Amino acid sequence: MTRLLIIGPPGSGKGTQAVHIARHFSIPTVSTGDIFRTNVSNETPLGVEAARYLDDGALVPDELTNALVKDRLLESDLQPGFLLDGYPRTATQVTELDNMLASQSQRLDAVVELRAPDSELEQRMLQRAKEQGRKDDTIEVFRRRLDLYHNETHEVVAVYAGRGMLVSVDGSGDPGDITTRAIAAVEKFLAEGVTP
Ligand code: AMP
């Protein structure tokens, strides 16, 4: 029963690492970004509402995001554990998540933070733009998302660091090496309570 969170700036390969880490721990991934993108492409009411925020590189309002995660966390496939990717991103969302988990007598076991220099993140984003053609992968939107990460999401990292559950991982270089480092660091933390 493992409940994890992964946090990382845009371009850090967070989504890719989430998939590998979740597979290792045999838990499903819940990516708020993926859920929003699916709703946008299916033109659901949520997608229509969320699209402009995604396109601008802004955060989708808390009411929408929190309600979506709350419903998802109640589903039966997540009862044995999960890896949350992209949520919480603000201090308010941390409180919301605390409440959601507490109401189900659950708690997080560890929070993985991917760290990489801004210059490398920008290079990776440009590469992803070529490969996947994501609408928010333009230099302008990328810089806005990175600013948002530094200005808002660092609070989230600070909260979990303060709780002694932050596992920071060097997110530079080869994606396979990053996966190996991340899994080893989480395993060590879960077994010994030691953060790298
Ligand atoms: P991601 O794939 O995690 O980079 O998320 C892509 C986009 O989805 C973000 O730029 C936001 O517009 C939106 N999004 C994802 N997660 C959240 C969240 N926790 N709160 C608000 N907006 C979010």
Side-chain angles (χ1 to χ4, degrees), residues 14 32-33 36-37 54 58-60 65 86-87 89 93 145:
K14 174 172 64 76
T32 42
F36 285 131
R37 278 185 289 277
L54 270 81
L59 292 180
V60 176
T65 311
Y87 181 96
R89 258 172 152 98
Q93 292 182 1
R145 295 173 69 216

Side-chain angles (χ1 to χ4, degrees), residues 7 94 113 152-164 166:
I7 302 180
V94 172
E113 179 204 18
E152 293 254 10
T153 308
H154 83 272
E155 269 187 279
V156 176
V157 173
V159 170
Y160 291 117
R163 293 182 190 178
L166 190 71

